[in-house]
Structures are given as C-alpha cells and as structure tokens.
Amino acid sequence: MRGRRKNKKKQIEISSLIDILFILLIFLMLSVRFTESRTLQDFNLPKSDANLVGDSTNEVSISISKESSYFLNGSPIQKSNLIRFIKTELDVAKNPTIILEMDVDSKFGDFYEITEIFKTKSISKIQISTLKK
C-alpha cells in the first residue's frame, strides 16, 4: 500500500506584505517635499529637472521680481531693508535655509548682490527655486 500524500495548496500570506507596502508608501509621502513657488507674486521661474528633498525648518524666502521688487517671506520689502535684514538680523547660528526665488528676466546684478552678502555671512544653505519641466 502506498502512502498517500495530501494535496495541500501552498499559499503565500500577503496581508503582512500589504501592511508593509502601505507603511512604506506613507513614509515616502511624508518624507518627500514637494517644492513649488510659495509666493503670491507671479514669477517666471527657471525650469529644472532636479528634485528637492529637505527639511522645511528655519526657512527664509527671498524673492526678486523682474522689476527688481524684493520680497521677504512673501511680504514686500525695500532693497536696503532686505540687505540690512540679511547683514544684521539673520542669525547664522540657527543655520537658516535660504530659498531664493528669482524671475527669469530679473537682473543678474540683483542675484549677485544678494548672494555676495550670503557669502560674506558664511550662509551656505541656499536653495534656488525652479519650476519642474
């Protein structure tokens, strides 16, 4: 007499796999930062393929329009007041992230002057906003 083998179908338990994939999806959604222009002004930002991922703590947004209008965190500010803010009130010890938004048609001299001040203050965390291609 032969020994009978039972025909057991092997099944893979996928409920734990679904849980893990769902947790990974949530983690990915929370860790990726979607950066778009957050200002109320209508800037013609340059286009880029690069993605930006980073933290959003201690950010200072500086925007320059093509008419050489300056904005600090979305509020209009005079150029002299902005320069004074960067030189005196911007605390380098807190290691701020500077988000620089400039219109494509803005003057290069405006960009150079602001970044030169960052250089003298040893501010190195500068992000230049662009639009996704």
Side-chain angles (χ1 to χ4, degrees):
M1 212 194 242
R2 287 185 174 177
R4 289 187 170 184
R5 287 187 171 175
K6 293 183 182 180
N7 280 342
K8 290 186 179 181
K9 291 184 178 180
K10 295 183 180 182
Q11 294 181 353
I12 298 174
E13 185 64 36
I14 64 167
S15 62
S16 59
L17 260 160
I18 293 172
D19 290 344
I20 291 171
L21 288 175
F22 187 67
I23 290 171
L24 287 173
L25 179 66
I26 291 173
F27 176 75
L28 179 68
M29 289 171 57
L30 293 176
S31 64
V32 172
R33 178 174 163 203
F34 300 98
T35 57
E36 291 186 17
S37 179
R38 293 178 296 243
T39 60
L40 301 175
Q41 292 74 35
D42 187 26
F43 283 138
N44 183 16
L45 296 175
K47 300 195 178 0
S48 171
D49 289 328
N51 290 326
L52 177 65
V53 178
D55 62 352
S56 62
T57 57
N58 200 16
E59 288 182 347
V60 176
S61 175
I62 297 174
S63 307
I64 304 172
S65 71
K66 64 182 173 183
E67 295 88 18
S68 294
S69 299
Y70 293 84
F71 301 89
L72 178 63
N73 294 327
S75 301
I77 189 170
Q78 294 294 324
K79 180 178 179 180
S80 58
N81 292 341
L82 176 64
I83 292 171
R84 185 175 40 78
F85 172 81
I86 295 171
K87 288 183 176 179
T88 59
E89 298 177 36
L90 196 60
D91 190 5
V92 180
K94 291 183 180 177
N95 199 13
T97 300
I98 307 296
I99 299 174
L100 190 57
E101 296 178 321
M102 295 194 62
D103 195 284
V104 171
D105 299 322
S106 62
K107 298 175 187 171
F108 179 74
D110 294 335
F111 173 78
Y112 177 77
E113 189 173 1
I114 296 297
T115 54
E116 192 66 23
I117 298 168
F118 294 147
K119 185 178 175 182
T120 59
K121 289 274 294 185
S122 299
I123 297 173
S124 59
K125 288 177 65 175
I126 301 171
Q127 299 174 357
I128 299 175
S129 290
T130 58
L131 293 176
K132 189 77 173 162
K133 278 188 181 178

